[in-house]
Amino acid sequence: MLKELSIKNFAIIEELTVDFQEGLTVLTGETGAGKSIIIDAVQLLAGGRGSQEFIRHGAKKAELEGLFTVAQDSHLAYEKCADAGIDIEEGMIILRRDLNDNGKSVCRINGKLVPLSLLREIGATLIDIHGQHESQELMDDKQHISLLDQFAGDEIEPVKARYLNRYDEYKSLKKELAAISVNEQQVAQKIDLYQFQIKEIDACKFQPSEEEDLTEERRRLMNFNKIFECSNSAHEAILGESKGLDWIGRAMADLEDVATVDESFKEYSDAVSNAFYNLQEAAFGVKNILDDLEFDPERLNEVEHRLALIQSMKRKYGPTLQEILEYREKIGEELESLLNRDENIQKNEQQLIELRKKLQATANELTVIRKKVGNKLSNAIMQQLRELYMEKAEFSVHFESLQEEQFDHNGLDRIVFYIATNVGEPPKPLTKIASGGELSRVMLALKTIFSTTNGITSIIFDEVDTGVSGRVAQAIAEKIAAISVHSQVLCISHLPQVAAMADHHYHIQKQEDTNRTFTSLTEIFGNDRIDEISRIMSGAEVTELTFQHAKELIEIADERKKAMI
């Protein structure tokens, strides 16, 4: 649910923070006071299209922030946040959006910068905003099949999971078959190319560490004179006559003699002895290398040529020798597949036939379940419409079957909700309904059915009661209240019947101060609430009669809400 909404420098709102509760929250106020501006702010917070025109005059940016709580780990928002690397702690999700005066916006989810597309995607799992002529989901034909599947619940879930597994396998196999089912000329060209590349790479007889080894060898060959002169000088300094080792040998002998009569010299005698033998061993090692040193200018040319070859092959086949060798393995496998192309095509085609049969059977299972559930959904919605005084309306789930091999992730079904609102009129797609009052009632019927299954955290109604009155208005009020039993509902309304049903009632008003306009939002209780409903009923002048009528309306609403629990 939406726990807190913070708005700053947005339209005529300078700064506003509202704490929302569970149940039904109704916002009322004079026309132009800023009720729809609050809904606009929530809509932008959920990823709606923004504009710098929303920024309050004189401000650099508008700031919007909403705190949502999600009780269940299974909520779709958890999965989407996890995929984006966003942590959710204690079930709280904070959406933030800043609109800058340069026309750009900055979006964050739980403090992490995100693109607008992700804000929109996650916002859609938390908020469903419905106005008189718009809806995010129910009025989108493409969403009807998923809504029907949600209504089916556990009855369709295992079959759909089995279908999706087979569908993924089917797509993968079709892609593989398409890759090898190319024309003969392309196949021949690929075979020639791969054979040439394999021959060229194999002729080089590369080793994975060869480049490093050759680079080190080239460095030694290019510095031969320095290596020879320095190592020879070092050897002479150690083993030459009357040089280093002779003098250390004398020191070693002297210290050994001293150590026989004074134990305090023993440690130093041993250290010098170790140094003597280490130097002697090092000198012998240097001598062995010197004996093997031989400058070979031809070898340097060979190394340079080999390194040049490596660079040339890297430009063709990969940035490292290891990747060149991996590329050779890859094209070797592809060449093998192409050489056995006919056999592989025949094998894959047979597998595809078998898989298509299984996929068709599973898709048929989905269709059978959907048609059965579609009848249940039609009857349920018809019942809701009757309660909304649309006794003559006819609602149906329209099925269209796709051609075989046109499988998609939903099977072979295209589903659209159809309705006829007047006797003698043919059914039309739900999205073609023109009457605002009828559209509101159909939408509320659908919302009542789906409020327990679609997982939306907050549902917002923006003046969906426009164009209705009397008993229809009362029915709409009761439907909105019924939806709020399962989902948090925020509703902007001009109907006293809806306002009377509120669990929380906010009054929005516009004020002027120092030649600027401000919008304020105040929760009202008791007589203030009765006064506001009286004003909605009668206009500017509130009489004792309208006050009593409003009070009675609230009492009746409270009794009816108790019956819903």
Side-chain angles (χ1 to χ4, degrees), residues 21-245:
Q21 307 297 322
E22 294 180 350
L24 173 59
T25 297
V26 175
L27 287 74
T28 62
E30 297 288 351
T31 300
K35 299 185 298 298
S36 292
I37 293 175
I38 292 176
I39 302 304
D40 288 339
V42 176
Q43 196 161 28
L44 275 125
L45 195 60
R49 180 172 296 178
S51 168
Q52 61 197 92
E53 295 178 2
F54 283 112
I55 301 173
R56 183 174 171 82
H57 178 68
K60 293 293 185 181
K61 66 177 180 178
E63 302 173 23
L64 309 171
E65 190 168 65
L67 168 62
F68 295 83
T69 56
V70 183
Q72 300 177 348
D73 292 352
S74 58
H75 194 282
L76 186 58
Y78 272 86
E79 178 183 343
K80 291 187 178 296
C81 284
D83 291 342
I86 299 171
D87 295 329
I88 298 178
E89 296 182 2
E90 299 180 357
M92 293 189 295
I93 300 176
I94 299 174
L95 305 184
R96 181 181 175 93
R97 187 172 181 185
D98 296 342
L99 298 175
N100 297 301
D101 58 4
N102 61 5
K104 296 182 178 180
S105 64
V106 178
C107 309
R108 290 181 174 86
I109 299 177
N110 283 358
K112 181 175 181 178
L113 284 168
V114 297
L116 178 60
S117 58
L118 182 60
L119 182 74
R120 184 181 300 118
E121 188 177 342
I122 293 178
T125 69
L126 302 172
I127 307 169
D128 184 11
I129 301 175
H130 187 86
Q132 185 181 354
H133 297 297
E134 64 178 357
S135 174
Q136 289 183 334
E137 185 175 31
L138 294 175
M139 296 302 128
D140 182 357
D141 287 350
K142 295 178 182 178
Q143 298 296 326
H144 291 176
I145 191 167
S146 62
L147 289 171
L148 181 62
D149 288 352
Q150 286 180 32
F151 184 74
D154 294 340
E155 187 173 357
I156 202 170
E157 187 175 339
V159 180
K160 194 166 185 179
R162 188 167 70 251
Y163 173 85
L164 287 173
N165 286 335
R166 287 175 176 172
Y167 179 64
D168 289 342
E169 187 179 351
Y170 176 77
K171 286 196 301 180
S172 177
L173 191 57
K174 280 193 74 174
K175 184 178 179 181
E176 183 180 342
L177 186 58
I180 60 176
S181 298
V182 292
N183 64 51
E184 294 295 335
Q185 183 180 2
Q186 289 177 313
V187 171
Q189 289 173 347
K190 276 192 173 183
I191 289 174
D192 287 345
L193 175 63
Y194 289 161
Q195 287 177 335
F196 170 79
Q197 291 178 335
I198 289 171
K199 183 179 179 181
E200 184 177 35
I201 294 172
D202 287 350
C204 295
K205 298 181 180 179
F206 288 134
Q207 299 299 320
S209 63
E210 183 176 356
E211 186 175 15
E212 292 80 1
D213 295 340
L214 289 172
T215 301
E216 177 63 26
E217 185 178 357
R218 180 177 63 179
R219 184 164 52 249
R220 290 197 304 269
L221 289 169
M222 293 178 69
N223 291 279
F224 177 83
N225 290 335
K226 182 178 180 179
I227 293 171
F228 181 83
E229 290 174 3
C230 291
S231 58
N232 188 62
S233 175
H235 179 266
E236 177 65 20
I238 296 171
L239 282 181
E241 187 175 348
S242 298
K243 295 294 177 71
L245 206 60

Side-chain angles (χ1 to χ4, degrees), residues 155-342:
E155 187 173 357
I156 202 170
E157 187 175 339
V159 180
K160 194 166 185 179
R162 188 167 70 251
Y163 173 85
L164 287 173
N165 286 335
R166 287 175 176 172
Y167 179 64
D168 289 342
E169 187 179 351
Y170 176 77
K171 286 196 301 180
S172 177
L173 191 57
K174 280 193 74 174
K175 184 178 179 181
E176 183 180 342
L177 186 58
I180 60 176
S181 298
V182 292
N183 64 51
E184 294 295 335
Q185 183 180 2
Q186 289 177 313
V187 171
Q189 289 173 347
K190 276 192 173 183
I191 289 174
D192 287 345
L193 175 63
Y194 289 161
Q195 287 177 335
F196 170 79
Q197 291 178 335
I198 289 171
K199 183 179 179 181
E200 184 177 35
I201 294 172
D202 287 350
C204 295
K205 298 181 180 179
F206 288 134
Q207 299 299 320
S209 63
E210 183 176 356
E211 186 175 15
E212 292 80 1
D213 295 340
L214 289 172
T215 301
E216 177 63 26
E217 185 178 357
R218 180 177 63 179
R219 184 164 52 249
R220 290 197 304 269
L221 289 169
M222 293 178 69
N223 291 279
F224 177 83
N225 290 335
K226 182 178 180 179
I227 293 171
F228 181 83
E229 290 174 3
C230 291
S231 58
N232 188 62
S233 175
H235 179 266
E236 177 65 20
I238 296 171
L239 282 181
E241 187 175 348
S242 298
K243 295 294 177 71
L245 206 60
D246 283 348
W247 288 101
I248 293 173
R250 291 180 189 179
M252 178 178 67
D254 291 341
L255 286 171
E256 286 176 350
D257 288 342
V258 173
T260 59
V261 295
D262 187 344
E263 284 291 330
S264 62
F265 284 92
K266 179 71 165 100
E267 178 184 352
Y268 306 111
S269 174
D270 291 342
V272 172
S273 295
N274 289 334
F276 176 86
Y277 293 117
N278 286 336
L279 278 171
Q280 188 180 56
E281 184 178 353
F284 291 154
V286 170
K287 177 62 175 173
N288 289 334
I289 295 175
L290 277 168
D291 290 341
D292 292 335
L293 278 179
E294 181 179 356
F295 181 67
D296 184 356
E298 286 301 319
R299 177 56 185 167
L300 179 58
N301 290 334
E302 291 174 6
V303 170
E304 292 284 10
H305 177 75
R306 188 70 174 170
L307 286 171
L309 175 62
I310 291 173
Q311 292 303 316
S312 174
M313 297 294 282
K314 283 165 64 174
R315 285 193 291 270
K316 289 184 179 181
Y317 301 117
T320 66
L321 281 183
Q322 182 62 41
E323 291 185 60
I324 291 174
L325 295 174
E326 289 173 359
Y327 175 75
R328 188 260 178 256
E329 291 299 316
K330 176 184 174 183
I331 62 174
E333 293 173 1
E334 292 184 15
L335 177 62
E336 183 69 22
S337 177
L338 290 173
L339 291 173
N340 297 295
R341 172 173 168 266
D342 293 339

Side-chain angles (χ1 to χ4, degrees), residues 388-431:
L388 289 166
Y389 301 103
M390 292 180 67
E391 300 91 341
K392 305 299 183 180
E394 294 292 332
F395 182 93
S396 61
V397 179
H398 180 77
F399 282 80
E400 177 185 345
S401 297
L402 300 177
Q403 296 294 325
E404 287 190 16
E405 299 187 26
Q406 289 185 340
F407 300 102
D408 64 15
H409 64 281
N410 286 314
L412 287 172
D413 297 322
R414 285 282 184 272
I415 291 175
V416 178
F417 295 160
Y418 270 56
I419 191 167
T421 56
N422 298 303
V423 176
E425 294 292 326
K428 295 179 181 178
L430 184 62
T431 52

